[in-house]
Amino acid sequence: MTDSSTIFNREYGTAGPCVAVLHGGPGAPGYMTPVARELADAFRVLEPFQRGSEGVPLTVDRHVADLKGLLERRWPGERPSLVGHSWGAMLALCFAAAHPEMAGAVVLIGCGTFDAAARRQLQATRGERLGCEVQLRLEQLSRDCSDPDASLREFARVLQKCDSVDLIDCPDESEPCDARAAEQTWADMLRLQAEGVYPAAFASIRCPVRMLHGADDPHSGRLILAGLKPHIPHIEYEELARCGHYPWLERAARDAFYRHLRTWLAQSPG
C-alpha cells in the first residue's frame, strides 16, 4: 500500500491561516485548483490529491488517515480550515469527526448526500434536467466504453452542465479520473451510512461548520442540512441564488461565493 507521505499535493500562498481544499469525485483530483489559487493571496493553501486505486480497496478511514498524515507533516501544531466540495465536503466532515482537535473550521460546498431521501431527490432532479435521450447516451457509454476512467470523465463533463446554471468560460484543470477509486470509496461511504456510522459520528465535531450551497444544485441543500442538523446543531447554511453545484464557476454567484468563503475562513478559530 502507498504510504500517506507520498500522496501528491499542491501548495499556494506564503502567509495567513492554513486552509486545505478537498476535491470531490471521489477519484476526481485537480478541478478545485481555481479555488485554491484564488485563496492564496490571504491564506496558506494545501490542495491534496486523494489516494488513487491500488491493490487494497480504498476506504473512508484510509482517506481520513491520509489527510491526517499530510496535515501533520505540512502544518504541525496548526488547526487548518477544511474546504471541501461534494464528496470532499463529506470527507471534511469525516475528518473533523475523527480528529476534532485538528480542525479549525469546515466549509461544505455543494455537500454530498448522507441519506437515501437526499439521493432520491438528486436522481429525480438530474433525471428531469437530462431528459431521456441524454440518459440513454450515458447508459450506453457506461456499457460500451472500454476505459472506465475515460467514461467517468465524460460522465462528469455531462453532469457538470446538468448541475449548473450559467458557467463562465475557463480552462479545465482537472486531472485524469480514477473510476476504481471512486467506486471503492463511495461503496464504503454507503456501507458506513447503512451501518449508522454517518452522519451520527459528526456529533463529535466541535469546530464551526458552514454550508455554502447553490439554490439550483440538484443536491438538495435543504434536505442535506436537515439530515446534518441533528448531529451538528451549530451548522450554518448560506444559499446562493442562480447557482448550481460549482459556485466558483457560476457567473451570477462566484463573487458572492468567494466573499462568503473568505469571510468565514478569516473568522476561523484555527
Side-chain angles (χ1 to χ4, degrees), residues 148-198:
D149 296 344
S151 177
L152 180 59
R153 181 70 173 263
E154 180 62 15
F155 263 79
R157 186 189 66 79
V158 173
L159 290 179
Q160 185 183 54
K161 293 181 180 179
C162 166
D163 292 354
S164 303
V165 179
D166 181 20
L167 298 178
I168 62 171
D169 293 325
C170 64
D172 179 5
E173 298 188 65
S174 59
E175 299 291 329
C177 292
D178 188 332
R180 192 158 164 250
E183 181 180 3
Q184 292 175 351
T185 301
W186 189 244
D188 192 53
M189 171 54 78
L190 292 180
R191 176 188 66 82
L192 291 164
Q193 291 183 21
E195 293 176 0
V197 175
Y198 298 128

Side-chain angles (χ1 to χ4, degrees), residues 20-28 31-32 48 50 60 63-64 67 81-98 103 105-114 185-186 189 193 198-199 202 205 207-214 217 219 221 224-225 228 232 235-237 245-248 257 261 264:
V21 174
L22 308 180
H23 68 77
Y31 73 87
M32 288 290 284
Q50 295 155 32
V60 175
H63 288 298
V64 168
L67 183 56
S81 294
L82 308 174
V83 176
H85 175 251
S86 199
W87 147 253
M90 303 172 78
L91 176 58
L93 288 172
C94 296
F95 179 87
V106 173
V107 180
L108 312 174
I109 305 168
C111 187
T113 59
F114 285 100
T185 301
W186 189 244
M189 171 54 78
Q193 291 183 21
Y198 298 128
F202 301 153
I205 297 176
C207 68
V209 179
R210 283 117 175 192
M211 290 181 70
L212 263 177
H213 214 90
D217 190 334
H219 303 73
I224 294 166
L225 174 65
L228 293 176
I232 316 173
I235 192 171
E236 299 176 41
Y237 183 82
H245 194 51
Y246 301 86
W248 64 96
F257 163 74
L261 182 58
W264 284 351

Side-chain angles (χ1 to χ4, degrees), residues 4-269:
S4 63
S5 65
T6 65
I7 300 299
F8 180 75
N9 66 93
R10 293 173 176 159
E11 295 189 47
Y12 310 81
T14 57
C18 301
V19 177
V21 174
L22 308 180
H23 68 77
Y31 73 87
M32 288 290 284
T33 294
V35 177
R37 188 186 299 120
E38 178 72 21
L39 296 174
D41 63 335
F43 303 93
R44 289 173 287 159
V45 184
L46 195 65
E47 182 193 8
F49 283 29
Q50 295 155 32
R51 179 185 297 266
S53 57
E54 48 190 22
V56 179
L58 283 170
T59 65
V60 175
D61 283 350
R62 180 68 264 173
H63 288 298
V64 168
D66 284 344
L67 183 56
K68 179 177 184 286
L70 178 61
L71 295 180
E72 286 178 333
R73 286 192 305 277
R74 303 309 301 165
W75 295 326
E78 301 273 7
R79 295 181 60 214
S81 294
L82 308 174
V83 176
H85 175 251
S86 199
W87 147 253
M90 303 172 78
L91 176 58
L93 288 172
C94 296
F95 179 87
H99 305 288
E101 75 287 352
M102 291 184 65
V106 173
V107 180
L108 312 174
I109 305 168
C111 187
T113 59
F114 285 100
D115 58 71
R119 281 190 287 279
R120 285 194 297 270
Q121 182 62 55
L122 168 62
Q123 292 164 359
T125 302
R126 278 179 169 167
E128 292 173 2
R129 293 182 184 181
L130 287 170
C132 293
E133 183 177 344
V134 176
Q135 290 186 71
L136 287 172
R137 181 160 60 86
L138 289 176
E139 290 172 7
Q140 183 178 9
L141 174 67
S142 181
R143 289 194 309 268
D144 300 344
C145 184
S146 60
D147 183 345
D149 296 344
S151 177
L152 180 59
R153 181 70 173 263
E154 180 62 15
F155 263 79
R157 186 189 66 79
V158 173
L159 290 179
Q160 185 183 54
K161 293 181 180 179
C162 166
D163 292 354
S164 303
V165 179
D166 181 20
L167 298 178
I168 62 171
D169 293 325
C170 64
D172 179 5
E173 298 188 65
S174 59
E175 299 291 329
C177 292
D178 188 332
R180 192 158 164 250
E183 181 180 3
Q184 292 175 351
T185 301
W186 189 244
D188 192 53
M189 171 54 78
L190 292 180
R191 176 188 66 82
L192 291 164
Q193 291 183 21
E195 293 176 0
V197 175
Y198 298 128
F202 301 153
S204 66
I205 297 176
R206 300 195 298 265
C207 68
V209 179
R210 283 117 175 192
M211 290 181 70
L212 263 177
H213 214 90
D216 299 287
D217 190 334
H219 303 73
S220 172
R222 300 286 179 174
L223 270 181
I224 294 166
L225 174 65
L228 293 176
K229 190 77 170 175
H231 311 286
I232 316 173
H234 59 284
I235 192 171
E236 299 176 41
Y237 183 82
E238 184 72 34
E239 193 165 84
L240 300 169
R242 288 191 51 76
C243 180
H245 194 51
Y246 301 86
W248 64 96
L249 299 178
E250 290 283 7
R251 196 177 311 277
R254 66 189 311 269
D255 288 347
F257 163 74
Y258 278 121
R259 184 169 62 252
H260 284 297
L261 182 58
R262 286 175 174 275
T263 298
W264 284 351
L265 292 176
Q267 294 171 350
S268 166

